[in-house]
Amino acid sequence: MQVTGLVWAITIVVILGLFVFDFFAHVRTPHEPTFKESGFWSAFYIGIALLFGGVVAWQWGGTYAGEYYAGFVTEKALSVDNLFVFLIIMSTFAVPRKYQQKVLLIGIVLALVMRGGFIAVGAAAISAFSWVFYLFGAFLIYTAAKLLKDSGHEVEVEEKRDSMIVRLTKKVVPTTDEYHGDKLIARIDGKRVVTPMLLALLAIGFADLLFALDSIPAIYGLTEQPYLVFTANAFALMGLRQLYFLIGGLLDRLVYLSYGLAAILAFIGVKLVLHALHENTLSFINGGEHVAVPEISTPLSLSVILGILVIATVASLIRTRGSAKPRTEAPESVEQPK
């Protein structure tokens, strides 16, 4: 797949333009988006992502389009799980609803920048060392096991992490427990202090960094093309802010989502190990020769991923039918972690 520098530049400019449009059209003026607004723009960004897959098919063929769609679906599914962590952070720092859009949008942009760095490092590693797929595969299998272990304890894990961020920040810079509109830094008695808005943003940025550690190896298990990895990540992150307000109350009902994501990560991990064996160059494995193992095709990968997501979602909704109480809400008062 040949992607010119011009295509890269146009793609990045368009993506950044969409984020700038999102800020000035929806986030600049603080407000809590309505269900209709969130639904429309969430569908809009998903539509753009699906149309881009058609562009990939037109320019580079159906095989690459299939890899893009598989990557996009996987990243979108992981992003939905990330929304629950965002919900915990918003509650922990008691971010007022009308200011949550700004925190989310800045956090998402930071996530895309950090993932861009991981994508570049991953591409360089894959190009130089084929055995890196062993590492990616093993890490994804480990992540899947950890996801299963932490399932049901997400609130405790995230609150502990947020508390650590607050303690470290307070040791370095002066902070205030009061919000000053949507300002990240305020002036009190002539001194500049960090507001809870900035603390919440730091927590989301740190969470995004951790998310990238499993999402980038996961998508490299579906495509080795950096351009597809980047665009699938970018389009999965777009509309995440709207999706947060659209399905925030539904997140509590997706009780089996973590199990589904663990299954997907484990599946991709196995796929990566099989690919690594097929391309093996390590002398202590089969004498450095390729190992004759079956490889999992992109259509099969996409089918398995979609199937797992459907089963996890339907099973969750059946399990929680009639009980849709949200786990966390962000009150207007501030109560930061000790």
Side-chain angles (χ1 to χ4, degrees):
M1 180 179 180
Q2 296 296 323
V3 182
T4 65
L6 178 61
V7 172
W8 268 103
I10 292 174
T11 303
I12 293 173
V13 168
V14 170
I15 289 172
L16 291 178
L18 287 171
F19 278 114
V20 171
F21 164 77
D22 207 16
F23 176 79
F24 283 100
H26 305 107
V27 178
R28 190 179 186 184
T29 302
H31 72 285
E32 181 179 347
T34 64
F35 182 85
K36 181 179 180 181
E37 176 186 344
S38 299
F40 174 80
W41 288 107
S42 182
F44 173 78
Y45 284 115
I46 290 176
I48 288 180
L50 296 178
L51 286 175
F52 181 78
V55 173
V56 173
W58 170 50
Q59 287 291 323
W60 295 286
T63 299
Y64 291 119
E67 292 180 2
Y68 163 79
Y69 281 126
F72 171 73
V73 170
T74 300
E75 293 300 320
K76 199 67 174 178
L78 290 171
S79 296
V80 171
D81 191 50
N82 298 350
L83 289 180
F84 177 60
V85 174
F86 293 165
L87 193 65
I88 298 171
I89 292 173
M90 295 298 184
S91 176
T92 301
F93 292 96
V95 181
R97 293 278 290 181
K98 63 181 180 180
Y99 300 139
Q100 290 181 11
Q101 289 200 94
K102 183 175 182 179
V103 175
L104 285 170
L105 184 62
I106 296 175
I108 289 168
V109 172
L110 289 175
L112 184 58
V113 172
M114 287 187 288
R115 292 187 187 200
F118 277 106
I119 291 168
V121 171
I126 289 171
S127 177
F129 311 106
S130 61
W131 51 260
V132 77
F133 286 111
Y134 285 116
L135 298 181
F136 282 179
F139 180 73
L140 287 181
I141 294 172
Y142 163 78
T143 303
K146 189 174 185 301
L147 193 58
L148 285 177
K149 179 183 176 182
D150 292 341
S151 182
H153 303 282
E154 296 89 349
V155 175
E156 294 89 339
V157 171
E158 187 57 39
E159 286 181 345
K160 183 178 180 181
R161 192 157 56 207
D162 294 342
S163 179
M164 178 191 68
I165 292 173
V166 171
R167 288 197 305 270
L168 290 176
T169 304
K170 286 186 174 182
K171 287 182 180 179
V172 178
V173 295
T175 62
T176 177
D177 293 338
E178 297 180 358
Y179 281 90
H180 292 258
D182 60 351
K183 293 180 180 179
L184 302 179
I185 298 176
R187 186 180 291 275
I188 299 178
D189 297 330
K191 293 183 178 180
R192 291 185 180 275
V193 296
V194 169
T195 69
M197 278 283 286
L198 182 54
L199 293 177
L201 186 58
L202 289 174
I204 285 182
F206 186 69
D208 285 331
L209 179 62
L210 296 180
F211 296 152
L213 291 177
D214 55 38
S215 68
I216 299 305
I219 193 170
Y220 267 122
L222 301 169
T223 177
E224 295 180 34
Q225 303 298 324
Y227 182 75
L228 298 182
V229 173
F230 175 76
T231 51
N233 267 274
F235 285 119
L237 290 172
M238 281 184 190
L240 193 59
R241 176 182 61 80
Q242 293 87 347
L243 198 61
Y244 171 86
F245 290 98
L246 183 65
I247 69 171
L250 184 63
L251 288 174
D252 183 64
R253 298 189 60 190
L254 300 179
V255 293
Y256 296 130
L257 179 61
S258 293
Y259 296 100
L261 292 177
I264 289 173
L265 292 177
F267 168 76
I268 297 175
V270 171
K271 182 178 187 295
L272 278 169
V273 171
L274 290 175
H275 179 72
L277 288 170
H278 186 76
E279 301 291 330
N280 179 60
T281 57
L282 297 178
S283 59
F284 57 86
I285 298 178
N286 198 36
E289 299 294 328
H290 301 339
V291 181
V293 294
E295 285 210 81
I296 301 172
S297 66
T298 299
L300 178 58
S301 297
L302 183 56
S303 300
V304 170
I305 292 167
L306 288 173
I308 291 173
L309 287 176
V310 169
I311 292 171
T313 301
V314 172
S316 295
L317 296 178
I318 292 174
R319 172 70 175 78
T320 59
R321 184 167 44 194
S323 57
K325 291 174 63 179
R327 296 182 193 176
T328 52
E329 295 179 356
E332 292 297 322
S333 60
V334 178
E335 184 178 344
Q336 292 185 34
K338 305 295 184 185

